[in-house]
Amino acid sequence: MDTLRWYRSFAEVEARGNSEVYEEWGNGVSEDPAVLALIDRLPEPRRQPNLIFGASRHLGAPVAPYASFRRWLRENWSAVEQLARIRTTQTNEAGRAAVLLPVLGLLKGPLSLIEVGASAGLCLYPDRYSYLYDGEKYLHPVDGPSTVLLECATTGSPPIPERVPDVVYRAGIDLNPLDVRDTDDMRWLESLVWPEQDNRRQRLRDAAALARVDPPHLVRGDLTAAVADLVRRAPQNTTVVVYHSAVLNYLTLTAREEFAETVRALPCHWIANEGLGVLPEVDTKLTASPHARRGKFVVSLDGTPRGLAGGHGQSLDWLDQTRTAPAG
């Protein structure tokens, strides 16, 4: 992707309405040939706005107007470039569990959860978070309210379950798993939270504290190569669910197709929560208008779209009113 258009699109589609700072930085970079030339020294996957901005803030960049950020970035580019080459945008947004929960509720338990692109594994605990839908419907874990409350606004009457899923097995795959017990790994995840989003930053801390009590089982490896083994290791007589959020966009189209082909052949359900254009065969089944889709993720179950979600789990527009559970 052309770097100029990438940053302009990031500002106009992703950051607008979510982060004034990142909207200004994205637009600023898109109009700044000198900074674009620096970023273009990186391999294309390493040029992404979230990575460059997150790496900059991790190293002390001021949360300030673009002119100040630009001065800092040019003075510290060598360190930013080095960090961007070894780190990845492993945003671990526990809030996305709120848009996955209605889909998980369609499946017969008990569940075995396998997350690909799991980062630190914070989305592997949907049964241990509390939820608040539309400011009125609460859902808590079986042992009472959680220290992590996920709020989500909905349209289309999603089938919010009466209880959290019964999860008996959870595992994750990542090229570079992060450890909830490692201070620098957690500080990196905090750097990836957008500047004004203090509630997301606190939620990350709370979710990590919860996960440290029972750290997730994470496997280092390629998601396509490693997923079959984890599916086979899942306990018998459970419904196995392979899922991911904002992961496949980092793969080439060929790699996405290989992963989709692999997971479809496995004895499991498949939940994807990905941006428009990432899974074209899913997008072609959408009936929502282009305006309704703008800036949203597509939540799908076994290749069928079920909802349009806010990127951080803050909203869910349900597209399929069917409440019949697929065969477990």
Side-chain angles (χ1 to χ4, degrees):
M1 178 185 290
D2 177 78
T3 308
L4 184 158
R5 290 201 301 270
W6 197 348
Y7 277 76
R8 180 175 296 160
S9 175
F10 172 81
E12 296 177 352
V13 177
E14 297 183 52
R16 183 167 296 169
N18 293 307
S19 172
E20 291 183 6
V21 171
Y22 274 9
E23 182 180 358
E24 182 181 350
W25 288 8
N27 281 321
V29 169
S30 73
E31 299 168 359
D32 193 327
V35 171
L36 286 170
L38 292 176
I39 296 172
D40 278 338
R41 286 163 39 175
L42 289 163
E44 182 174 332
R46 303 291 180 170
R47 300 173 196 165
Q48 56 187 287
N50 273 329
L51 180 57
I52 298 302
F53 294 163
S56 298
R57 290 177 52 231
H58 191 73
L59 294 168
V63 177
Y66 179 70
S68 296
F69 170 66
R70 180 184 192 273
R71 283 194 297 272
W72 184 94
L73 185 64
R74 296 193 68 181
E75 291 170 359
N76 295 275
W77 176 251
S78 178
V80 172
E81 181 178 13
Q82 181 179 3
L83 187 59
R85 288 181 181 275
I86 62 175
R87 284 287 192 181
T88 56
T89 51
Q90 294 174 277
T91 301
N92 208 173
E93 180 48 71
R96 290 171 177 152
V99 301
L100 299 175
L101 190 74
V103 185
L104 290 172
L106 296 174
L107 306 176
K108 180 182 178 182
L111 303 181
S112 290
L113 301 182
I114 299 169
E115 185 182 16
V116 297
S119 184
L122 301 185
C123 286
L124 281 166
Y125 298 89
D127 55 325
R128 298 186 186 176
Y129 299 145
S130 288
Y131 303 85
L132 176 59
Y133 289 95
D134 303 312
E136 58 183 28
K137 182 176 177 57
Y138 281 95
L139 183 63
H140 299 297
V142 293
D143 56 355
S146 172
T147 54
V148 178
L149 176 65
L150 308 181
E151 299 185 45
C152 182
T154 75
T155 64
S157 300
I160 299 167
E162 293 300 318
R163 60 185 61 84
V164 296
D166 177 16
V167 179
V168 296
Y169 173 83
R170 63 191 98 224
I173 307 164
D174 203 284
L175 286 173
N176 181 37
L178 301 182
D179 188 342
V180 292
R181 297 161 294 189
D182 185 277
T183 301
D184 193 55
D185 279 353
M186 292 302 99
R187 197 170 73 83
W188 172 245
L189 286 181
E190 288 197 22
S191 298
L192 295 173
V193 176
W194 296 2
E196 304 92 336
Q197 297 177 344
D198 293 332
N199 62 324
R200 287 186 60 215
R201 206 166 353 265
Q202 187 59 51
R203 184 165 64 206
L204 170 64
R205 293 167 183 162
D206 292 342
L210 184 154
R212 277 194 290 273
V213 176
D214 179 21
H217 172 58
L218 301 179
V219 174
R220 184 183 302 273
D222 173 80
L223 54 89
T224 302
V227 67
D229 183 61
L230 284 183
V231 169
R232 284 193 294 266
R233 290 175 181 269
Q236 293 185 355
N237 301 317
T238 66
T239 298
V240 182
V241 186
V242 172
Y243 64 102
H244 47 88
S245 292
V247 171
L248 299 190
N249 54 304
Y250 298 116
L251 305 183
T252 65
L253 179 58
T254 298
R256 293 177 210 165
E257 292 172 345
E258 290 176 352
F259 171 76
E261 183 178 353
T262 297
V263 76
R264 285 195 192 100
L266 293 172
C268 66
H269 287 290
W270 172 31
I271 299 175
N273 181 32
E274 298 287 350
L276 282 165
V278 174
L279 291 169
E281 69 274 21
V282 173
D283 296 350
T284 58
K285 301 174 185 177
L286 285 168
T287 58
S289 69
H291 176 75
R293 304 178 194 184
R294 183 176 173 82
K296 298 292 182 66
F297 283 20
V298 182
V299 183
S300 62
L301 173 62
D302 298 328
T304 298
R306 294 301 179 106
L308 297 173
H312 300 134
Q314 71 272 33
S315 65
L316 177 63
D317 305 322
W318 193 249
L319 302 176
D320 185 345
Q321 303 297 323
T322 302
R323 293 170 182 264
T324 303

